[in-house]
Amino acid sequence: MVNPAKLAAAERDSICEQCHLSGEIRVPKSGKDDLAFRPGERLTEDLTVFVRGGSPSPMKVTSHAEDLAQSACRRASGAKLWCGTCHDPHTVPAANEKAAYFRGKCLTCHQASDCRAPQSARQANGDNCVTCHMPRNPPSDIEHVVFTDHAIRRRARPAGGSLPADADLIPFGGGGASTRDLGLAYAMVGLREKNPLYTQRAFHLLQQAVASGHADALALAYLAEFYRDRKDDARALPLYEESWKMDMDQSAVAAALGAYQMQRGNLEQAIRYWRRALAISPALVLVRTNLAAALLRTGHAEEAQVTLRQALEFQPSLQEARDLLNQISK
């Protein structure tokens, strides 16, 4: 059993940050994933959390650690202020006791006289520090909910805060990031947001990672995807193949290699790759449809029908699968 209160600050905070620090993207270290972390370690040994540089930073559902790091209270404390300062993971104060409970936490550092609000306003809200300095606001990444703002601001966070499309991605907490990690961060966020500025940065960074010999299977796969999007199959295919040799548990790589084999007329090879992709990620409905088409062309009509019905179970509106199923049934 690990008691976080007895750990050094970075190891202590990592226990909370494994769930309460999403940033813009979490990039696993080569050979690691989100499940690699063990309490007592530093989260940065397993992944790099990237945030957008600049301000204002919009609040997110799991941005508690990022928000707290922005607060003057945290900065002034020299990292002594942490989640466990105010929260006991084993007990939660009753609803009618919360205001006094958390006010008591504030008063361990502040004086009651520090508050400049009129006495009438303080009485109106039950002398509740949280109401003014940690209000409940809607996060930027989920609608119709509100969460407590842990930035502990003197004034309310600006509504609808956003950062420019070219804002730099930087590691949370400072420090450097490898070319591979930074390239993957821009790739993941750029593709998710369809941000051409980020994908262009990612393309060049991943090229550098490959040239320096620091690219792993994941980096190779993303660079291959960028080459494929540029219709440069001569560079994309070898990268996909190299990535696959390094790690055969990548469904996206298996799916892409299946598509290349289909283009070349190597149907049996395409079928092999697509079966592997579906064994890893069963919900890839377009892969199921492509697999069914290849099965049909190789004389496996019955298996093609089963595969199409499975695709429609995942996505009933998939017209391509319906059309192919009707074609088989005729």
Side-chain angles (χ1 to χ4, degrees):
M1 184 70 70
V2 176
N3 183 346
K6 296 182 178 181
L7 298 175
E11 287 78 5
R12 174 200 69 196
D13 294 343
S14 289
I15 293 176
C16 303
E17 290 169 359
Q18 64 176 313
C19 295
H20 295 281
L21 173 63
S22 57
E24 287 299 328
I25 197 69
R26 294 159 65 109
V27 177
K29 299 289 187 181
S30 183
K32 300 289 187 71
D33 58 33
D34 278 355
L35 301 179
F37 173 77
R38 294 292 179 270
E41 301 174 350
R42 291 191 179 197
L43 189 64
T44 52
E45 294 173 0
D46 300 315
L47 55 85
T48 303
V49 180
F50 288 89
V51 298
R52 280 188 166 95
S55 60
S57 177
M59 187 178 75
K60 295 186 177 181
V61 170
T62 53
S63 65
H64 305 79
E66 185 181 346
D67 293 337
L68 185 62
Q70 299 175 28
S71 72
C73 293
R74 165 75 175 199
R75 297 195 306 271
S77 77
K80 291 181 181 179
L81 174 64
W82 69 293
C83 304
T85 303
C86 301
H87 295 285
D88 184 337
H90 303 291
T91 182
V92 177
N96 62 344
E97 299 173 352
K98 281 187 175 182
Y101 176 86
F102 288 113
R103 182 171 182 272
K105 298 294 184 180
C106 296
L107 292 177
T108 60
C109 295
H110 298 279
Q111 302 296 318
S113 58
D114 292 341
C115 182
R116 298 178 183 177
Q119 191 63 34
S120 58
R122 291 173 61 176
Q123 291 177 347
N125 74 4
D127 216 8
N128 188 345
C129 307
V130 170
T131 299
C132 293
H133 301 289
M134 299 180 69
R136 292 173 65 80
N137 287 318
S140 63
D141 50 345
I142 292 184
E143 297 180 351
H144 310 305
V145 294
V146 291
F147 283 81
T148 301
D149 188 342
H150 280 69
I152 320 179
R153 300 173 184 273
R154 290 184 63 187
R155 297 177 181 82
R157 184 192 298 256
S162 62
L163 293 169
D166 62 348
D168 291 336
L169 295 179
I170 58 176
F172 174 76
S178 69
T179 303
R180 175 259 185 197
D181 291 355
L182 189 57
L184 285 173
Y186 279 115
M188 293 173 180
V189 178
L191 291 170
R192 182 185 73 202
E193 298 180 351
K194 296 180 174 57
N195 183 336
L197 296 172
Y198 278 10
T199 54
Q200 187 66 17
R201 289 185 195 178
F203 181 59
H204 293 306
L205 286 164
L206 293 175
Q207 283 180 314
Q208 294 173 29
V210 170
S212 64
H214 294 129
D216 63 349
L218 187 60
L220 290 171
Y222 271 98
L223 183 56
E225 182 175 351
F226 288 137
Y227 276 122
R228 186 188 65 187
D229 291 344
R230 287 167 168 77
K231 312 298 182 186
D232 191 347
D233 293 341
R235 287 187 173 87
L237 181 54
L239 289 171
Y240 274 127
E241 290 173 338
E242 187 177 353
S243 176
W244 181 248
K245 290 176 183 176
M246 290 182 178
D247 181 3
M248 295 186 178
D249 288 325
Q250 302 178 87
S251 60
V253 174
L257 286 171
Y260 277 117
Q261 294 299 332
M262 186 74 165
Q263 290 173 8
R264 294 179 167 190
N266 300 329
L267 299 183
E268 294 297 340
Q269 289 280 15
I271 289 170
R272 181 172 68 86
Y273 279 121
W274 283 334
R275 281 175 173 162
R276 177 60 181 161
L278 292 170
I280 301 166
S281 301
L284 296 174
V285 292
L286 293 179
V287 172
R288 286 193 183 277
T289 304
N290 291 336
L291 173 59
L295 288 168
L296 185 60
R297 290 175 60 181
T298 54
H300 300 88
E302 185 174 338
E303 187 179 352
Q305 284 182 313
V306 172
T307 302
L308 289 167
R309 291 192 182 101
Q310 290 170 340
L312 290 170
E313 288 177 3
F314 283 103
Q315 188 174 329
S317 62
L318 189 61
Q319 192 59 46
E320 186 177 350
R322 289 188 173 280
D323 293 342
L324 192 55
L325 190 59
N326 291 334
Q327 178 184 330
I328 298 172
S329 302
K330 290 180 180 179

